[in-house]
């Protein structure tokens, strides 16, 4: 029996229909079937018959001409098959291939039968290739058909939906088919093909098909398909020695997709590493996605096969010098994986171990070096790698401090992501440090000194072994010594003692390094939750700096601070919690106290602070615990006041203790205790307030009056206490205005030592100088404070009364509305009718107008009084104004504070004293006075914006004050007014921009925060302000470095492409009206800082005429070259050619302009020479006139002048003619008339003083 013809892989499916040429013997299709001519039923029957034959007959039946022809016809018309037939055919082919896959021996290759073993081998080989060919062809053709449908035109959407509804789902079978083919490559094919390598066409077809499938993202989503394809590629590359052919394709896959799988014996991996290493680093810069996929592949390979990567890492090291930061980041990840995984094997001789150690140390050195990389992303990545190494305990103690030093230095990096990574690294090092939680410098120094003494004694005595109590030094004993202070720490031999001393020295260095970072952490406002678990010098300041972050607008930041606060301070026993909060509150400043109050109030409302903790605070306040000081008593009451803000009932149970202790003898020992007691009274609920006024009103009011008018408290404490005392009076007194009037009268009487009635009399002369004679400055200051603060609280009291009236009115209207709804129909109709009549008559609006008028009148009476008659405060107004006009009397800031408070209350008084206020704020010698007045200007601008609008320039002028505090307050005030739309951003905003580079770092930070917030408003006002700021700053006497820093910060706040494009046009237009070289440089610098899109480049090219005159300057053209170089990196091909053409044009314009400038300079020099010659001639004339006769001498004097000018003109003429002749030779054009005209013009320009001689001479 003749063996069947061999199956030869065709280049395409249709090639199987071609008959073999000449004597070639191969399997081909003799008779095919056109499926399009079959009906649906016949087609289905045809496919089922084929499947039956393939299943029922022997698996080698596919070689038969009839079966092979039918199978070819079905595969060729596979798209026409119904879904059921498709599934049946694919399952049949896959099953036959799976049955064929076991060893050829088990399938009877060498078994008995009518056929010879060679024929059985040939049949087995043919069937393997046929099944593989048709299965791959079906998958690829089906996928191409699906892709064609997806990319069809929009008119076929309905047909695609119908087709999709009845489409066959290949995805469920694709993975099994691919894995079956992959399994076929795992068997011993040498038995079938008779050599080491199978048929070349077979392997090429399988490899090509696998790579084509890998390029389809749909296939990669299926894990089974993906794994099967990886097995196919891996087997062909490694098992069948096609690494060289597959390497480029695999590398292309890695570029385009995230392709990271482990291949066989690693030979393919080695080839890929070498191919990646030999790739030009510039290619990775151009292909960002490809470099990212390559990086992931390398890191994954280092993780799965660290030994392979470690032996070939040297090929990749040169890429650290490439420009792609993504490749550098990946290589850092590779080194991190190798350090932790590739050097764990302790087997081998001494030389191999030494070699591994040197390799590991070299990698660690590279990681340290990369901490100074030019890219912030790389610096951040290497710090993350170091953090991973610390977690894996892969950093030795000898290297620990060096890493810590690098991390602390990176805390001051200019990039935020680097600072964040550095902070995370330090946190990780703290968590995994080998020195224990006790990191106090003093403890380490004491322990180190002790064991240094022991070591010196051991070395001096020459002991090599000294064991005490049979114990040896362990690492844990270092921590025990530091924490427990055990002086009987066991000591081992000399070498162990030396190791302990070295460990202690390393721990001391680490402790100092961490402590030195505390100031930087404070500046970064970093969360210091970790440092509370470790005792570190300076960590308390970081904990306090964490508190203001509770005011952050970002919810995540607030929640993080709240959780850290709960973990650090509250998750302890009530007594410990109370003491922790007490220590935090005592030494806090005003800002920290505000943040602490906010967070405690929030936690009390959430129930996070238990009542046991509140009771512990009351015990401290009431001195129920031994050893409590007056300061701690005040701190406990302060914390209770904070808690009472959200839960006023906390104070009701100890109200009498607050009065007795807060205003008792302890207030003399701790003066701030009285102020804190006033704060507690101000936090009382309405019920507690009524209870207090009913039970002990006379006592409490007498205490408050004595606190305000007396001299019990020190002067530096009295103002804060009197402030709160007056506020409490207006809060709890039933008629506060009467009591406050008595306070003012009493204060004035004690100041002027006269009867109270004299102050209320209209006939009294407050301007008499005798009343001001020998007045105590302290009494005057207190009196002015009482007057102004009473007036201000009276204003607040009126506003609160108005709010109560409006609330009562709203409640009545709500009750009436509810009654009208609940009443019967008749009553409801009557109520509705009455309400409608009131609405028509405008009674409701008239009530609102009446309330507003009442409020305005009451506010007016505070200072101006009724019917142009001044009242008590009003009579003090002129006195305060006169006092402020005399700087000699202003020993303190009280006079100006009083004036500003009265100005805030009354518009007329404000308008009449505005000139005085600005005169003082500009010329007052006291820094405190100027600073306070600056703050007051903000309040005045918010209350009376129309009055302050003409003085806007004067308000901005405060930014130039020599005092840091005045400038800081000016920045805060202007920021508040502008960001809250109480002041328009006018043409003086450049003053704020200049403060971005203020000498005071705090002021600079506030300005940066202002512009950052301003950029978030609307459509970013900075975009509209930038050209004006640029114009004004360029006229200021600013250093170039400061100007660039300011403009760079402002430009970086503009993110929208449209605004960038519009700015390009605006800045280019600014070149037109500017002739100053310095302004050209500034405008060009701003252009270079913009982000250029394709449209932006086109605008820049179109605007060449506006700035070409400025291109003669080298600095200007350099900025434009920077723009072009940045544009080339990311531009597309078409745009890149335009940019290159534009670059050539710029360079040509620059050369031409430089030549023109040089010509002009030469002309000016020549003109100066001509003028010098003329001056000498005229000097000679005057000399000759004096010595000769008047008529003859004059003519003789003119002859040398004409001769010299004629010679100069001739020289100029020859120069111009030579230049023109050269240019005419280049252009090929010559014209005598044009040459003469041009020469005449040039000579006229070069030497205007000799025009007549030149014109007479001609050519």
């Amino acid at each position: 029996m003749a063996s069947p013809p061999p199956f030869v892989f065709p280049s395409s499916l249709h090639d199987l229909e071609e008959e073999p040429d000449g004597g070639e013997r191969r399997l081909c299709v003799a008779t095919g079937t056109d499926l399009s001519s079959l009906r649906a039923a016949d087609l289905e029957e045809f496919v089922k018959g084929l499947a039956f034959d393939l299943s029922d007959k022997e698996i080698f039946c596919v070689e038969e001409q009839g079966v092979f022809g039918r199978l070819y016809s079905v595969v060729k018309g596979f798209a026409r098959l119904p879904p059921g037939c498709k599934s049946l055919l694919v399952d049949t082919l896959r099953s036959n291939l799976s049955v064929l896959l076991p060893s050829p021996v088990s399938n009877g290759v060498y078994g008995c039968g009518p056929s010879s073993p060679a024929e059985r081998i040939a049949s087995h080989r043919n069937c393997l290739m046929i099944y593989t060919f048709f299965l791959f062809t079906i998958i690829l053709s089906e996928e191409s058909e699906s892709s064609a449908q997806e990319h069809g035109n929009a008119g076929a959407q309905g047909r695609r939906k119908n087709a999709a509804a009845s489409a066959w789902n290949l995805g469920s079978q694709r993975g099994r088919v691919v894995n079956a083919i992959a399994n076929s490559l795992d068997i011993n094919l040498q038995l079938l093909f008779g050599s080491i390598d199978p048929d070349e066409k077979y392997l090429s077809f399988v490899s090509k098909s696998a790579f084509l499938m890998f390029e389809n993202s749909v296939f990669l989503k299926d894990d089974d398909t993906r794994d099967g394809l990886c097995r196919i590629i891996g087997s062909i590359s490694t098992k069948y020695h096609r690494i060289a052919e597959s390497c480029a394709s695999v590398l292309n896959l890695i570029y385009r997709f995230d392709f990271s799988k482990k291949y066989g014996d690693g030979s393919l991996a080695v080839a890929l590493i070498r191919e990646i290493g030999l790739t030009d680093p510039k290619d990775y810069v151009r292909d960002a996605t490809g470099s990212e996929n390559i990086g992931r592949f390398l890191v994954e390979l280092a993780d799965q096969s660290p030994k392979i990567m470690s032996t070939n890492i040297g090929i990749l090291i040169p890429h650290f010098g490439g420009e792609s930061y993504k490749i550098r980041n990946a290589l850092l990840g590779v080194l991190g994986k190798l350090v932790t995984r590739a050097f764990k094997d302790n087997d081998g001789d001494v030389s191999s171990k030494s070699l591994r150690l040197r390799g590991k140390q070299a990698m660690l050195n590279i990681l340290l070096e990369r901490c100074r990389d030019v890219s912030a992303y790389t610096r951040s990545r290497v710090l993350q790698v170091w953090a991973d190494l610390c977690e894996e305990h892969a950093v030795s103690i000898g290297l620990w401090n060096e890493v810590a030093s690098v991390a602390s230095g990176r805390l001051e990096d200019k990039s935020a992501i680097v600072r964040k990574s550095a902070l995370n690294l330090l946190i990780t090092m703290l968590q995994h440090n080998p020195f224990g939680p006790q990191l106090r410098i003093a403890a380490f120094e004491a322990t180190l000194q002790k064991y240094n003494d022991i070591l010196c004694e051991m070395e001096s005595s020459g002991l090599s072994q000294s064991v005490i109590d049979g114990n040896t030094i362990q690492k844990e004993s270092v921590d025990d010594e530091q924490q427990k202070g055990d002086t009987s720490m066991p000591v081992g031999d000399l070498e162990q003692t030396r190791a302990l001393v070295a460990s202690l020295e390393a721990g001391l260095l680490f402790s100092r390094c961490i402590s030195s970072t505390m100031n930087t952490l404070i500046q970064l406002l970093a969360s210091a939750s970790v440092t509370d678990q470790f005792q570190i010098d300076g960590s308390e300041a970081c904990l306090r700096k964490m508190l203001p972050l509770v005011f952050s607008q970002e919810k995540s930041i607030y929640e993080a601070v709240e959780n850290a606060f709960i973990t650090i301070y509250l998750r302890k026993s009530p007594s410990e919690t109370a003491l922790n909060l007490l220590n935090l509150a005592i030494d806090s400043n005003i800002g920290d106290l505000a943040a602490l109050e906010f967070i405690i109030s929030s936690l009390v409302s959430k129930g996070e602070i238990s009542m046991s903790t509140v009771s512990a605070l009351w015990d401290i306040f009431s001195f129920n615990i031994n050893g409590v000081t007056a300061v701690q008593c005040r701190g406990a009451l302060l914390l209770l006041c904070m808690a009472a803000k959200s839960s006023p009932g906390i104070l009701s149970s100890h109200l009498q203790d607050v009065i007795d202790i807060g205003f008792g003898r302890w207030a003399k020992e701790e003066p701030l205790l009285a102020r804190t007691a006033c704060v507690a009274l101000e936090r009382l609920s309405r019920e507690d307030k009524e209870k207090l006024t009913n039970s002990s009103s006379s006592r409490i009011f007498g205490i408050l009056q004595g606190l305000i008018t007396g001299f019990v408290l020190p002067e530096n404490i009295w103002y804060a206490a009197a402030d709160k005392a007056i506020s409490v009076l207006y809060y709890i007194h039933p008629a506060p205005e009467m009591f406050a009037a008595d306070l003012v009268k009493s204060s004035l009487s004690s100041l002027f030592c006269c009867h109270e009635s004299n102050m209320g009399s209209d006939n009294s002369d407050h301007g008499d100088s005798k009343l001001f004679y020998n007045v105590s400055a302290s009494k005057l200051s207190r009196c002015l404070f009482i007057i102004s603060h009473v007036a201000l609280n009276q204003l607040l009291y009126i506003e609160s009364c108005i709010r109560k009236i409006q609330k009562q009115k709203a409640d009545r209207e709500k009750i009436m509305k509810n009654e009208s709804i609940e009443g019967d129909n008749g009553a409801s109709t009557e109520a509705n009718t009455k309400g409608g009549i009131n609405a028509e008559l405008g009674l409701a609006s008239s009530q609102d107008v009446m309330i507003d008028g009442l409020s305005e009148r009451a506010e007016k009476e505070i200072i101006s009084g009724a019917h142009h008659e001044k009242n008590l405060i009003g009579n003090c107004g002129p006195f305060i104004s006169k006092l402020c006009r005399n700087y000699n009397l202003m020993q303190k800031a009280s006079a100006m504070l009083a004036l500003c408070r009265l100005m805030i209350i009354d518009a007329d008084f404000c308008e009449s004293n505005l000139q005085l206020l600005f005169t003082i704020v500009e010329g007052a010698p006291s820094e405190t006075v100027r600073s306070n007045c600056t703050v007051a200007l903000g309040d005045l601008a918010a209350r009376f914006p129309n009055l302050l609008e003409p003085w806007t320039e004067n308000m901005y002028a405060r930014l130039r004050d020599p005092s840091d505090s005045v400038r800081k307050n000016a920045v805060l005030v202007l920021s508040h007014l502008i960001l809250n739309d109480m002041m328009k951003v006018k043409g003086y905003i450049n003053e704020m921009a200049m403060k971005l580079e203020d000498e005071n770092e705090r002021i600079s930070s506030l300005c940066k925060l202002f512009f950052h917030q301003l950029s978030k408003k609307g459509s970013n006002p900075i975009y509209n302000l930038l050209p004006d700021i640029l114009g004004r700053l360029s006229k200021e006497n600013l250093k170039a470095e400061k100007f660039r820093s300011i403009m760079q910060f402002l430009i970086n706040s503009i993110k929208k492409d449209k605004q960038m494009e519009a700015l390009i046009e605006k800045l280019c237009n600014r070149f037109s009206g500017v002739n100053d070289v310095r302004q050209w440089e500034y405008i060009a610098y701003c252009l270079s800082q913009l982000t250029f899109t394709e449209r932006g480049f086109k605008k820049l090219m179109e605007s060449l005429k506006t700035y070409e005159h400025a291109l003669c300057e080298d600095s200007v053209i350099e900025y434009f070259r920077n723009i072009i170089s940045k544009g080339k990196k990311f531009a597309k091909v078409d745009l890149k050619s335009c940019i290159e053409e534009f670059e050539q044009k710029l360079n040509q314009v620059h050369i031409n302009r430089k030549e023109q400038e040089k010509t002009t300079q030469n002309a000016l020099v020549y003109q100066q020479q001509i003028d010098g010659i003329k001056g000498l001639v005229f000097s000679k004339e005057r000399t000759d006139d004096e010595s000769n006769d008047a008529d003859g001498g004059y003519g003789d004097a003119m002859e040398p002048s004409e001769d010299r000018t004629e010679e100069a003109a001739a020289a100029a003429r020859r120069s111009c003619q030579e230049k023109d002749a050269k240019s005419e030779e280049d252009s090929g054009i010559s014209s005598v008339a044009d040459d003469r005209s041009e020469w005449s013009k040039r000579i006229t320009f070069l030497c205007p003083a000799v025009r007549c001689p030149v014109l007479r001479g001609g050519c």
Side-chain angles (χ1 to χ4, degrees), residues 20 106 158 242 348 445 492 498 512 533 540 616 690 766 852 947 1024 1228:
S106 63
R242 294 177 60 89
E445 289 178 343
R498 286 173 177 170
R512 287 174 176 170
Q533 303 171 17
E540 294 80 4
E690 294 176 355
H766 297 289
D852 293 339
L947 292 179
N1024 295 318

Side-chain angles (χ1 to χ4, degrees), residues 614-654:
V614 175
S615 299
L617 290 173
W618 278 121
D619 291 339
I620 295 174
F621 172 73
S622 303
F623 294 94
N624 294 334
I625 300 176
N626 295 329
V628 175
T629 62
V631 175
Q632 292 177 324
C633 172
R634 190 255 305 172
L637 182 58
L638 181 60
L639 291 170
L640 291 168
C641 293
M642 295 176 182
K645 187 175 182 179
S646 59
S647 179
I650 292 177
L651 298 173
S652 59
S653 60
H654 294 76

Side-chain angles (χ1 to χ4, degrees), residues 136-308:
F136 261 133
T137 302
I138 289 173
I139 293 175
L140 294 176
S141 62
E142 187 68 13
E143 185 55 36
S144 62
E145 182 70 20
S146 176
S147 300
Q149 290 182 0
E150 290 178 359
H151 294 87
N153 55 24
Q157 288 184 356
R159 294 195 301 272
R160 287 204 304 273
K161 291 181 180 179
N162 295 333
S166 60
W168 169 57
N169 184 15
L170 178 62
S172 60
Q173 294 179 306
R174 187 189 301 115
R176 287 179 288 176
V177 171
V178 173
N179 279 283
I181 298 174
N183 293 335
S184 70
L185 296 172
D186 291 338
I187 65 174
N188 188 5
L189 296 182
Q190 185 179 1
L191 297 175
L192 296 178
F193 290 92
S195 62
I196 297 177
D197 295 336
D199 183 45
E200 182 70 21
K201 292 184 178 180
Y202 166 68
L203 294 178
S204 297
F205 174 79
V206 175
S207 176
K208 180 180 178 182
S209 300
F211 282 119
L212 285 175
M213 292 182 65
F214 234 118
E215 294 180 1
N216 193 311
S217 59
V218 178
F219 293 164
L220 301 182
K221 294 179 181 178
D222 183 15
D223 292 337
D224 291 337
T225 304
R226 179 189 175 96
D227 293 340
L229 292 174
C230 290
R231 289 173 55 201
I232 291 173
I233 296 174
S235 297
I236 292 176
S237 301
T238 58
K239 185 176 180 181
Y240 300 106
H241 312 293
R242 294 177 60 89
I243 293 177
E245 295 82 353
S246 302
C247 186
S249 300
V250 172
L251 195 60
N252 181 55
L253 290 178
I254 297 174
Y255 270 109
R256 300 177 61 183
F257 314 103
D258 185 11
F259 186 86
S260 52
K261 291 293 176 182
K262 185 175 181 179
Y263 300 122
D265 59 358
S267 57
L268 178 59
V270 173
L272 290 174
I273 293 173
R274 294 181 182 276
E275 190 68 26
I276 293 171
L278 296 175
T279 304
D280 188 356
K282 295 182 180 179
D283 295 341
Y284 296 125
V285 179
R286 291 189 288 267
D287 186 4
T289 304
S291 60
E292 193 170 335
N293 291 332
I294 285 286
R296 277 198 292 265
F297 170 76
L298 291 175
V299 175
E300 185 70 19
L301 186 60
D303 187 32
Q304 294 182 4
S305 304
K307 290 187 177 180
I308 294 176

Side-chain angles (χ1 to χ4, degrees), residues 629-689:
T629 62
V631 175
Q632 292 177 324
C633 172
R634 190 255 305 172
L637 182 58
L638 181 60
L639 291 170
L640 291 168
C641 293
M642 295 176 182
K645 187 175 182 179
S646 59
S647 179
I650 292 177
L651 298 173
S652 59
S653 60
H654 294 76
L655 190 57
Q656 195 62 41
D657 292 337
V658 172
I659 298 174
D660 295 339
I661 299 175
F663 299 105
R665 65 182 183 87
W666 293 103
K668 297 179 180 179
E669 183 176 341
E670 174 55 37
L672 284 175
L673 182 60
R675 179 188 180 278
T676 309
C678 292
V679 174
L681 295 179
E682 201 173 5
R683 297 284 170 86
L684 295 177
S685 62
R686 180 180 300 178
E687 294 78 11
D688 293 335
K689 182 177 68 172

Side-chain angles (χ1 to χ4, degrees), residues 74 89 192 214 225 332 395 438 455 507 521 701 821 835 874 976 1043 1046 1069 1124 1145 1179 1218 1240:
V74 172
L89 180 64
L192 296 178
F214 234 118
T225 304
L332 292 173
V395 181
Q438 171 60 270
L455 180 61
L521 292 177
F701 294 144
I821 294 174
H976 172 72
F1043 174 86
I1046 292 171
N1069 291 332
I1124 291 172
K1145 196 171 184 179
S1179 299
E1218 291 174 359
S1240 300

Side-chain angles (χ1 to χ4, degrees), residues 900 903-905 910 914 917-918 933-956 970 972-978 980-984:
C900 293
M903 290 174 67
I904 291 173
I905 296 171
C910 175
L914 266 180
L917 177 60
F918 278 101
C933 291
T934 302
V935 176
L937 287 175
D939 297 332
L940 291 173
R943 183 163 171 81
F944 308 118
N946 294 333
L947 292 179
L948 270 294
E949 195 273 338
W951 300 89
T952 303
E953 183 179 1
N954 300 78
M955 294 182 66
Y956 276 100
L972 291 172
V973 167
L974 292 172
S975 300
H976 172 72
L977 295 175
I978 293 173
N980 291 281
D981 299 324
M982 290 183 284
M983 175 185 285
K984 294 182 179 180

Side-chain angles (χ1 to χ4, degrees), residues 23 91 112 429 562 639 651 831 879 1093 1174 1187 1204:
D91 276 340
C112 299
M429 296 187 76
E562 186 180 76
L639 291 170
L651 298 173
F879 160 69
T1093 60
K1174 186 177 179 180
S1187 59
R1204 291 290 181 90

